Amino acid sequence: MVFMSFATSQTKIKQWLTQGIAVALFVALLISLWMVADALQNSVRFEHLYSALLLVNAIAFLALLAFILLNLQELIYQVKTRQAGARLTVRLVGLLVLLSTLPVIIL
C-alpha cells in the first residue's frame, strides 16, 4: 500500500513537472516573439535586446530539450514494461524524426 502511494505521488510529480516545462516553454517563446517583433521595428533597439533575446531563446531551448528528454524517458519505460502500443509509438517517433531532419540534412 505504501509503495502504491509513493508511485502515484511520483507520477503526479512527473505530470506537474511536464506541465510546468510546457508552460515555461510557451511563455518563453511568447516573450521571445514579442521581443523580436519590437526589435525589428528599430535596429538600435535590437542592440539593446540582443542579450535578452539570447537568454530567452536559450531558456526556451533548454525547456524544450528537457521536455523531449522526459518524454523519451517515458517512452523507454513503456517499451521496457511492454505496454500496449509502445513499439508503434517508437516507430512513429522514429519516422517523425526522420521526416523532420531529412530536409535539414539535404539543404
Side-chain angles (χ1 to χ4, degrees):
M1 188 70 158
V2 173
F3 178 71
M4 274 200 328
S5 175
F6 178 72
T8 56
S9 66
Q10 192 177 22
T11 303
K12 286 190 182 268
I13 290 172
K14 278 186 179 179
Q15 194 174 35
W16 278 100
L17 184 62
T18 303
Q19 290 174 353
I21 290 171
V23 168
L25 178 64
F26 180 73
V27 169
L29 290 175
L30 276 180
I31 290 171
S32 176
L33 182 62
W34 173 74
M35 291 171 72
V36 167
D38 188 40
L40 286 176
Q41 293 177 1
N42 187 357
S43 62
V44 174
R45 183 106 169 112
F46 180 73
E47 292 177 24
H48 297 297
L49 291 176
Y50 182 75
S51 297
L53 279 169
L54 189 62
L55 178 67
V56 169
N57 285 327
I59 290 170
F61 173 74
L62 291 175
L64 181 63
L65 185 64
F67 191 64
I68 290 170
L69 290 176
L70 282 173
N71 283 327
L72 280 177
Q73 179 187 13
E74 182 67 26
L75 182 59
I76 291 169
Y77 172 76
Q78 289 176 359
V79 170
K80 284 184 179 179
T81 58
R82 297 182 186 259
Q83 292 183 5
R87 288 179 39 204
L88 177 62
T89 305
V90 168
R91 289 180 188 157
L92 289 173
V93 167
L95 185 62
L96 179 67
V97 167
L98 179 69
L99 287 175
S100 63
T101 56
L102 196 60
V104 174
I105 292 171
I106 291 173
L107 296 177

